[in-house]
Amino acid sequence: MAESPKKLVKRILEVIDDKIGEDTSVIDLESVSTIADYFVLTNGESLRQTKVLADEIIEQLEEDGIFLRNKEGYQTGKWILLDYGDIVVHIFEKETREFYDLEKIWQDAKIISVTEGKPDTPL
C-alpha cells in the first residue's frame, strides 16, 4: 500500500505516541534536501525502549503493507535509523540525541514539534 509521505509520517507519529516516545519532532526536508522528504525524530527513556519503538514501528507499518528499506544502529540502541525512503525515522537514546542535535544541523528546514502524537504545526 503506497501512502503519501505526509500520511506515512502521521502513521509513524501514532505508533510513537502509543509507545510513549519522547520529544518527538518532524523535520520537513522537502525544500532543502533530496535525502528524504521528512525525518521523524524521537527518543526513548532507555536503550530497551528505543528498540521497542523501532520494533513497533516496523511491525505496524508492515501490517499496513509498508516495508522497511534499511535499519541501522539497532544492536546498540543508542541511535536507531529506520529508512522508509521518503521518511527516515531516528530513534535516539536521550544523550545521543543531544550530542548529535539533528535539529540544529538541519536548522534551515522546517521543524515541527509534536505533542501527543499530533504535530503542533500541520504537515
Side-chain angles (χ1 to χ4, degrees):
M1 172 185 192
E3 289 194 36
S4 75
K6 288 180 183 181
K7 285 184 180 180
L8 184 52
V9 166
K10 289 178 182 180
R11 178 70 177 114
I12 292 167
L13 293 175
E14 289 171 5
V15 176
I16 290 170
D17 188 48
D18 286 346
K19 290 297 173 186
I20 313 173
E22 298 179 341
D23 299 322
T24 304
S25 62
V26 177
I27 301 177
D28 181 344
L29 299 170
E30 286 182 297
S31 63
V32 296
S33 178
T34 58
I35 292 174
D37 290 345
Y38 298 97
F39 281 172
V40 177
L41 287 70
T42 195
N43 46 275
E45 288 185 8
S46 65
L47 296 177
R48 182 172 178 215
Q49 188 186 14
T50 61
K51 291 181 179 185
V52 166
L53 283 161
D55 291 341
E56 191 67 18
I57 290 167
I58 294 166
E59 182 180 321
Q60 292 294 319
L61 293 184
E62 281 181 0
E63 288 178 12
D64 295 344
I66 302 161
F67 297 93
L68 185 65
R69 290 184 179 187
N70 192 27
K71 173 173 71 174
E72 295 180 24
Y74 186 85
Q75 293 295 67
T76 65
K78 291 179 178 259
W79 180 358
I80 301 171
L81 184 142
L82 305 177
D83 181 359
Y84 285 97
D86 292 333
I87 293 105
V88 178
V89 181
H90 301 267
I91 306 167
F92 292 96
E93 170 195 44
K94 185 176 181 175
E95 292 79 22
T96 304
R97 182 173 182 179
E98 290 171 356
F99 180 80
Y100 287 101
D101 197 2
L102 292 186
E103 287 95 340
K104 184 175 181 184
I105 291 171
W106 291 98
Q107 65 188 352
D108 291 340
K110 180 174 154 186
I111 299 174
I112 304 163
S113 67
V114 177
T115 307
E116 296 178 9
K118 298 173 186 77
D120 295 336
T121 307
L123 294 176

